[in-house]
């Protein structure tokens, strides 16, 4: 069974909230204060936990993790269909950042 975990960022600064835990979840409904992201249950090539809005890389391609249609997906270039993120794909990718702390990593390859 997949472990349910969350991380969060302060909305006004984009900084991660250290020691974020379930006690915050009740307040998470107030998305004016912080943004909550869920652990996908998957690990990257280096064994790091993959969360929503992480930026993943395989070779020269970059993808953003999103939750859509009841599952975690990866999306690359603008206009590209989102693809289901599964264990086979995640084990070939590495996390290079997230959309809040590493905005420069978001520069995607031109289609």
């Amino acid at each position: 069974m997949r472990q349910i975990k969350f991380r969060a960022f302060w909305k006004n600064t984009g900084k991660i909230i250290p020691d974020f835990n379930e006690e915050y979840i009740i307040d998470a409904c107030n998305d004016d204060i912080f943004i909550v992201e869920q652990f996908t249950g998957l690990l990257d090539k280096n064994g790091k936990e993959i969360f929503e809005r992480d930026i993943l890389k395989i070779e020269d391609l970059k993808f953003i993790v999103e939750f859509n249609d009841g599952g975690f997906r990866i999306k690359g270039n603008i206009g590209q269909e989102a693809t289901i993120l599964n264990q086979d794909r995640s084990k070939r990718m590495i996390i290079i950042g997230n959309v809040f702390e590493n905005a420069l990593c978001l520069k995607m390859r031109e289609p």
Side-chain angles (χ1 to χ4, degrees):
M1 180 153 64
R2 179 172 73 86
Q3 182 180 12
I4 307 297
K5 292 173 73 170
F6 298 92
R7 74 175 179 197
F9 293 85
W10 293 112
K11 196 167 191 175
N12 61 345
T13 65
K15 300 286 184 195
I16 196 161
I17 299 173
D19 302 322
F20 183 82
N21 62 45
E22 292 76 20
E23 293 175 20
Y24 286 98
I25 299 300
I26 294 169
D27 294 328
C29 297
N30 185 351
D31 61 351
D32 290 335
I33 299 171
F34 50 82
I35 298 169
V36 178
E37 301 172 333
Q38 189 171 2
F39 173 47
T40 64
L42 300 170
L43 305 175
D44 78 350
K45 182 177 176 178
N46 297 323
K48 289 180 66 178
E49 296 175 337
I50 300 173
F51 284 81
E52 291 177 82
R53 296 182 186 97
D54 275 346
I55 304 167
L56 305 178
K57 183 176 178 180
I58 183 169
E59 297 175 7
D60 65 338
L61 301 173
K62 296 176 186 175
F63 301 90
I64 298 173
V65 179
E66 58 183 37
F67 187 82
N68 195 353
D69 293 328
F72 292 100
R73 301 176 185 281
I74 51 174
K75 187 165 184 172
N77 296 320
I78 295 172
Q80 179 184 20
E81 285 280 323
T83 304
I84 293 172
L85 178 62
N86 58 29
Q87 188 172 3
D88 180 53
R89 284 190 181 99
S90 71
K91 291 290 184 186
R92 294 181 287 137
M93 301 178 141
I94 59 168
I95 298 170
I96 60 170
N98 63 66
V99 299
F100 299 107
E101 296 178 312
N102 310 96
L104 292 178
C105 291
L106 285 174
K107 187 172 181 180
M108 301 294 195
R109 194 179 85 170
E110 295 298 319

